[in-house]
Amino acid sequence: MTYSAAEADMYRHAAIYVDKVLKGAKPADLPVEQPTKFELVINLKTAKALGLNVSRDFLLRADEVIE
């Protein structure tokens, strides 16, 4: 199970920063931003191998379930 920043969103923000630098902005002047979108991914195959039961409600909240 992982709960982390959405990878696609991170790449999108990186592209925005690169665009600003290429347009002449100084990297030191750019603000540091924290991620705003997070994803919950659950690996059911590993959970079953470890003998863990994952509730249905928890699975419904997950952005991705690996079976």
Side-chain angles (χ1 to χ4, degrees):
M1 176 174 72
T2 181
Y3 183 70
S4 62
E7 194 172 329
D9 199 41
M10 297 294 288
Y11 287 128
R12 203 169 297 115
H13 280 284
I16 292 169
Y17 273 84
V18 169
D19 181 54
K20 289 179 181 181
V21 170
L22 291 176
K23 289 182 178 177
K26 294 181 183 178
D29 294 339
L30 294 176
V32 175
E33 296 180 6
Q34 292 193 0
T36 56
K37 185 176 179 185
F38 293 86
E39 293 179 324
L40 174 63
V41 179
I42 300 172
N43 189 329
L44 276 181
K45 184 177 180 181
T46 303
K48 288 178 184 179
L50 294 171
L52 302 174
N53 292 324
V54 181
S55 71
R56 179 167 158 51
D57 292 333
F58 199 60
L59 290 173
L60 290 174
R61 291 181 185 260
D63 295 303
E64 183 180 348
V65 178
I66 301 169
E67 295 190 37

